[in-house]
Amino acid sequence: MEPRGLQLWEKAVSVFRKPQGVQIIVFPEDGIHGFNFTRTSIYPFLDFMPSPQLVRWNPCLEPHRFNDTEVLQRLSCMAIKGDMFLVANLGTKQPCHSGDRGCPRDGRYQFNTNVVFSNNGTLVDSYRKYNLYFEAAFDTPLQVDHTVFETPFAGKFGVFTCFDILFFDPAIRLLRDSEVKHIVFPAAWMNQLPLLAAIQIQSAFAIAFGVNLLAANIHHPSLGMTGSGIYTPLKSVWHHDMENLTGHLIIAKVARNPQGLVGTENATDKMDPSHGKFLKILAGDPYCEKDSQEVHCDEATKWNMNAAPTFYSEMMYDNFTLVPVWEKEGYLRVCANGLCCSLLYQRPTLSKELYALGVFDGLHTVHGTYYVQVCALVKCGGLGFDTCGQEVTEATGVFEFHLWGNFSTSYIFPMLLTSGMILETPDQLGWENDHYFLRKSRLSSGLVTAALYGRLYERD
């Protein structure tokens, strides 16, 4: 059977050969064989995978060296034809002896695998997905692959797949190599708003770690899968489309050394009145008493903190503690477990929408188990408190704000999403007085989600 994915990919490569200046192309997870396989039914689609560490091999030029490597041969020839590095995802098999520790009963391992080819078709590296997402057809490797490959045009690239982006291994450990400035990221990511749409986590990862992320997500709207992009810490090009069935090829030029956003500070920040107010609140200024009846950081403004009732609502399957954001300007604070989230905000006009500030500090247990600390300002699905946490893509409420929390992790993903699935870049991020903050003014459209999504890997 001829996989349709391969035909589409060959077409893409031939269109963007070197005259276009494309140096590397990344294809999505599950793009060749598709979905819904059992361990047995996927077997005919698996390629045998020799270790690139042990064997130097060019499948296009040496097709008969190993049996059952048809897909690898096609991919290798594509890399040659396009004269570009090529990263693709496929299913692979590796025989093992039933006596070996971990060897499955059928005598073979089956892995969800990314492969990397150089522009001359040589198989330079591979990565076997470690954090599987309900993938009965595949095995978890006994050891994590920390795959880093070198290119002549941009230095070192790290590789991981889809669900891996939420875990310490291999994603975070790879970045301990300070020379890794770029990540290639095949995915079949099912969007879940308000916090984990593909473009949100992809962009947040690039910003949080100051890297370029080349993310190829499979386009399958009926399964809620869309959202790819080329992300840098300061600017991104992305595509999110739940309407059309045809995918989209993204091309962008990015810097070899991405310039980071985290910790950005310049003199004007200190002059901005809202930032001065934020710093006063953090310093525990006597005129900014957080728990007293009124909070007034200067003579002109008084905010009644007791006006906003605390309520609970489910967001991302987690029980968030929230307060409504009702006023035209104000300062709100909401706590859960040990995490306190604060919001200092101003709005040019009030919209007929309900917004809420929410906090969650605990173990997320649905569709994966991992510990999160989250501060989020979200637009609710309706006007009732129970609609806060629902999936929303359109909004009209514009804010200028500081959002911050006393996070007990340094691994914090900043997310900023506006109406129509548009990503925005924070004006400023960083630590101030043991609190991590995100600051934004001049949103281009209504706010859907502003969040600080913290991960405590050691509590998983």
Side-chain angles (χ1 to χ4, degrees):
M1 195 181 91
E2 167 75 356
R4 187 165 163 266
L6 278 176
Q7 292 174 324
L8 290 172
W9 296 1
E10 282 170 337
K11 197 171 163 188
V13 166
S14 61
V15 171
F16 295 103
R17 281 213 290 268
K18 264 292 166 63
Q20 294 268 2
V22 172
Q23 290 167 306
I24 184 167
I25 191 163
V26 184
F27 291 112
E29 181 185 22
D30 298 333
I32 295 175
H33 48 70
F35 308 98
N36 297 330
F37 287 99
T38 63
R39 187 173 176 84
T40 310
S41 67
I42 202 170
Y43 184 69
F45 298 94
L46 303 178
D47 268 36
F48 168 69
M49 183 74 204
S51 165
Q53 281 70 43
L54 303 175
V55 177
R56 188 171 168 79
W57 177 45
N58 188 314
C60 187
L61 303 183
E62 310 166 85
H64 304 299
R65 191 164 165 195
F66 300 102
N67 291 333
D68 287 347
T69 55
E70 288 81 1
V71 176
L72 291 171
Q73 291 167 36
R74 292 274 290 275
L75 294 169
S76 166
C77 294
M78 266 188 242
I80 294 174
K81 192 174 175 185
D83 188 19
M84 60 181 76
F85 271 67
L86 184 147
V87 180
N89 174 274
L90 73 160
T92 63
K93 59 187 176 186
Q94 198 181 318
C96 56
H97 298 291
S98 48
D100 295 355
R101 181 179 75 87
C103 181
R105 275 190 214 155
D106 51 19
R108 63 178 184 264
Y109 293 111
Q110 298 184 178
F111 296 120
N112 175 335
T113 306
N114 295 339
V115 285
V116 183
F117 293 93
S118 71
N119 59 327
N120 67 12
T122 301
L123 178 63
V124 291
D125 224 325
S126 67
Y127 165 73
R128 301 166 302 170
K129 186 176 180 183
Y130 189 67
N131 299 285
L132 296 172
Y133 188 79
F134 305 101
E135 297 170 63
F138 294 119
D139 299 304
T140 301
L142 297 177
Q143 281 166 326
V144 193
D145 296 339
H146 295 103
T147 301
V148 174
F149 64 94
E150 188 87 42
T151 65
F153 52 87
K156 289 182 177 180
F157 283 74
V159 190
F160 50 85
T161 310
C162 205
F163 202 37
D164 286 329
I165 202 168
L166 291 179
F167 296 91
F168 186 82
D169 255 327
I172 311 303
R173 202 182 294 274
L174 276 183
L175 294 170
R176 291 188 161 176
D177 178 345
S178 61
E179 289 178 12
V180 175
K181 299 283 188 220
H182 321 280
I183 298 291
V184 289
F185 180 65
W189 187 279
M190 217 173 281
N191 289 303
Q192 199 193 350
L193 286 163
L195 299 177
L196 287 179
I199 61 171
Q200 278 177 301
I201 188 67
Q202 292 162 8
S203 141
F205 192 93
I207 293 170
F209 295 107
V211 294
N212 295 326
L213 180 77
L214 284 59
N217 190 22
I218 201 160
H219 186 72
H220 205 310
S222 63
L223 294 177
M225 296 175 177
T226 186
S228 299
I230 297 174
Y231 304 87
T232 81
L234 298 177
K235 192 166 164 280
S236 300
V237 183
W238 73 92
H239 178 77
H240 175 102
D241 177 10
M242 286 293 286
E243 307 299 314
N244 297 296
L245 295 178
T246 47
H248 184 77
L249 189 67
I250 298 166
I251 300 179
K253 194 173 184 175
V254 296
R256 281 181 65 122
N257 275 315
Q259 208 178 344
L261 175 73
V262 174
T264 45
E265 282 184 36
N266 53 41
T268 55
D269 292 337
K270 303 295 180 203
M271 310 304 290
D272 168 31
S274 75
H275 199 62
K277 212 174 268 189
F278 158 70
L279 293 172
K280 268 186 172 178
I281 293 174
L282 267 189
D285 187 300
Y287 299 106
C288 267
E289 197 49 63
K290 295 190 187 95
D291 316 83
S292 65
Q293 185 68 17
E294 292 188 334
V295 174
H296 38 148
C297 293
D298 54 30
E299 295 313 306
T301 343
K302 291 190 174 184
W303 298 313
N304 184 339
M305 285 199 60
N306 290 358
T310 301
F311 65 95
Y312 302 94
S313 190
E314 189 178 279
M315 191 187 319
M316 310 291 298
Y317 302 105
D318 295 320
N319 188 23
F320 272 70
T321 305
L322 304 104
V323 288
V325 182
W326 277 335
E327 307 298 329
K328 208 174 160 195
E329 60 175 28
Y331 162 58
L332 295 166
R333 183 165 175 259
V334 62
C335 303
N337 254 348
L339 177 64
C340 287
C341 301
S342 300
L343 176 72
L344 179 66
Y345 70 97
Q346 273 181 305
R347 309 175 64 178
T349 52
L350 282 171
S351 62
K352 290 188 173 68
E353 297 163 308
L354 174 62
Y355 280 84
L357 171 68
V359 57
F360 180 76
D361 178 356
L363 192 65
H364 173 88
T365 55
V366 178
H367 302 155
T369 303
Y370 44 92
Y371 199 102
V372 291
Q373 284 189 331
V374 184
C375 290
L377 168 60
V378 295
K379 185 201 149 178
C380 306
L383 295 178
F385 287 172
D386 60 340
T387 67
C388 298
Q390 291 179 358
E391 302 214 5
V392 174
T393 57
E394 304 296 326
T396 62
V398 177
F399 288 79
E400 294 196 2
F401 65 92
H402 285 72
L403 172 68
W404 71 96
N406 60 334
F407 290 87
S408 42
T409 175
S410 59
Y411 299 108
I412 299 165
F413 298 90
M415 299 173 173
L416 203 42
L417 188 68
T418 61
S419 195
M421 297 301 290
I422 303 295
L423 294 168
E424 298 252 351
T425 307
D427 295 342
Q428 194 179 356
L429 288 168
W431 289 94
E432 189 74 60
N433 206 357
D434 293 331
H435 290 71
Y436 191 83
F437 75 95
L438 179 160
R439 171 179 164 212
K440 184 67 182 176
S441 54
R442 294 179 299 280
L443 286 174
S444 64
S445 61
L447 182 70
V448 171
T449 305
L452 295 170
Y453 189 90
R455 279 286 284 114
L456 280 78
Y457 301 108
E458 68 281 5
R459 291 205 203 163
D460 289 357

